[in-house]
Amino acid sequence: MKLFVKVLFFCVVTYVAASDQNQRNSIAEDLGVYDISRFGLELLLAKLDNIQHTLLEQHRITREEIFAALHKLEHAVGHNLTVLQDRSLMQTSCVTLKPKLPSYSSCKDVPSNVSGVYLIRVNGRSERFNVYCEQESFGGGWIVLQHRFNGSVDFYRNWTEYRDGFGDLEKEFWLGLEKMHQISKTRAYELIVELKDFSGTYKYARYNAFEVGDESEQYNLKALGTYSGTAGDSMAGNAGMKFKTMDSPRDRNTVNCAEHHGSAWWYNYCTFANLNGRYSRFNNDKSMFWYYFKGNHEGLSFSRMMIRQL
């Protein structure tokens, strides 16, 4: 601010000095016109007085105008700086005062009966991440692991995608094997699988234990409890099995079950449950099926896997 004023003042003084030089040039011309005589000297002195008066008046006005303009400019700049500082403080306050979204250890701890996306942190050392909480069906408190209902998402994917998860939590999705492991290793959980065929028939399968191992164990199905429900027990043979995707190496299987079923699952000489298979109503090995729903491989229109803390 001070530097700007000094530069401006220098420019004005330079302008005034230039004006004075013009006046001096005018005087020199007049000296050449008048003869050095008493009458000429009197005229010359009168003209000099007039020039002096004019210069003093011009300088007085110029100085007043300069200082008035500088004072006005300083006031305007100071006011603008104050406004900017106030806005900056307000923005900082808004950022500081923005409430942090709460997180919960599981959907069972969410103090709301409204289903939707919530943040969870399974323990104090883990990262927070979003899950979809089903807060109405079967008493609420369920973390949704998998949801399919219209075939909008392709579930024939590789290991990395099944590990990290894919899809939209409010549409079709797979939560991710790593998140399933982080959640289920901390506490005891139960599992429920909801199913519906293309004619609208609804059934479910419930297991009183569920746990997924870590990646070094290939996210094996470490625990699958006792079955109850209406859909039949199509997962009993999957307990303890490693998770397999299209790009997983074969182990004891003579065929690549993920390729055979166009899916990814905890395969044990393949499977009676293929909930990540192709979204189709056809009766074949690649469909999204639950064998004991009807005793065949007929494709289903809806599946939802959910776990809840016991």
Side-chain angles (χ1 to χ4, degrees), residues 31-304:
L31 284 172
V33 172
Y34 294 104
D35 293 330
I36 304 301
S37 64
R38 179 179 181 83
F39 177 73
L41 183 60
E42 290 177 355
L43 289 176
L44 179 60
L45 289 174
K47 187 170 183 62
L48 287 173
D49 287 340
N50 182 56
I51 291 171
Q52 182 181 13
H53 176 75
T54 301
L55 284 173
L56 289 175
E57 183 65 22
Q58 288 177 348
H59 289 182
R60 184 183 67 79
I61 295 173
T62 302
R63 285 197 299 272
E64 290 177 356
E65 290 177 347
I66 289 171
F67 286 115
L70 290 176
H71 178 72
K72 184 176 181 181
L73 177 62
E74 183 177 6
H75 175 75
V77 171
H79 174 72
N80 289 338
L81 287 174
T82 302
V83 171
L84 289 173
Q85 289 172 351
D86 290 343
R87 288 179 180 174
S88 178
L89 288 173
M90 288 177 65
Q91 291 173 353
T92 303
S93 299
C94 290
V95 171
T96 303
L97 297 176
K98 184 177 179 180
K100 188 176 181 179
L101 292 174
S103 60
Y104 309 95
S105 61
S106 74
C107 289
K108 195 172 183 179
D109 295 332
V110 174
S112 171
N113 59 2
V114 177
S115 299
V117 177
Y118 294 89
L119 270 174
I120 68 167
R121 173 179 280 171
V122 295
N123 59 57
R125 299 180 303 277
S126 65
E127 295 292 327
R128 302 196 308 167
F129 55 85
N130 286 319
V131 299
Y132 190 93
C133 295
E134 173 52 55
Q135 299 296 86
E136 299 171 38
S137 299
F138 296 95
W142 297 91
I143 298 173
V144 181
L145 305 182
Q146 183 249 37
H147 193 193
R148 304 185 71 184
F149 57 89
N150 62 9
S152 60
V153 174
D154 182 8
F155 273 66
Y156 191 42
R157 299 186 179 233
N158 62 32
W159 177 263
T160 301
E161 292 172 293
Y162 267 96
R163 180 193 64 198
D164 299 340
F166 54 85
D168 186 325
L169 289 176
E170 298 194 74
K171 298 176 183 177
E172 290 198 334
F173 70 92
W174 173 263
L175 182 61
L177 291 164
E178 181 59 32
K179 293 184 180 71
M180 294 181 194
H181 165 65
Q182 294 296 331
I183 295 168
S184 63
K185 76 174 183 177
T186 57
R187 306 174 183 86
Y189 277 84
E190 60 177 322
L191 167 72
I192 194 164
V193 180
E194 294 185 290
L195 306 162
K196 191 184 296 184
D197 66 13
F198 281 90
S199 64
T201 303
Y202 170 88
K203 295 182 181 181
Y204 72 92
R206 193 167 187 169
Y207 298 87
N208 63 6
F210 177 83
E211 183 181 350
V212 173
D214 63 25
E215 188 168 17
S216 68
E217 301 170 296
Q218 295 183 50
Y219 298 115
N220 60 327
L221 190 53
K222 295 186 77 168
L224 183 70
T226 304
Y227 162 83
S228 63
T230 59
D233 185 4
S234 293
M235 280 192 71
N238 302 112
M241 295 297 103
K242 298 174 182 178
F243 198 86
K244 295 292 182 178
T245 61
M246 63 167 76
D247 55 344
S248 297
R250 296 183 186 180
D251 42 35
R252 62 182 181 176
N253 293 329
T254 57
V255 297
N256 186 325
C257 291
E259 287 184 359
H260 177 74
H261 288 291
S263 179
W265 199 250
W266 294 278
Y267 291 116
N268 178 16
Y269 290 106
C270 295
T271 185
F272 286 104
N274 194 45
L275 297 186
N276 293 328
R278 184 179 302 162
Y279 191 86
S280 165
R281 67 187 309 155
F282 296 119
N283 185 354
N284 61 50
D285 289 346
K286 293 187 184 299
S287 294
M288 179 177 76
F289 64 80
W290 186 271
Y291 184 82
Y292 291 111
F293 191 95
K294 288 186 177 179
N296 58 29
H297 295 135
E298 184 179 321
L300 300 170
S301 69
F302 173 92
S303 74
R304 185 164 69 162

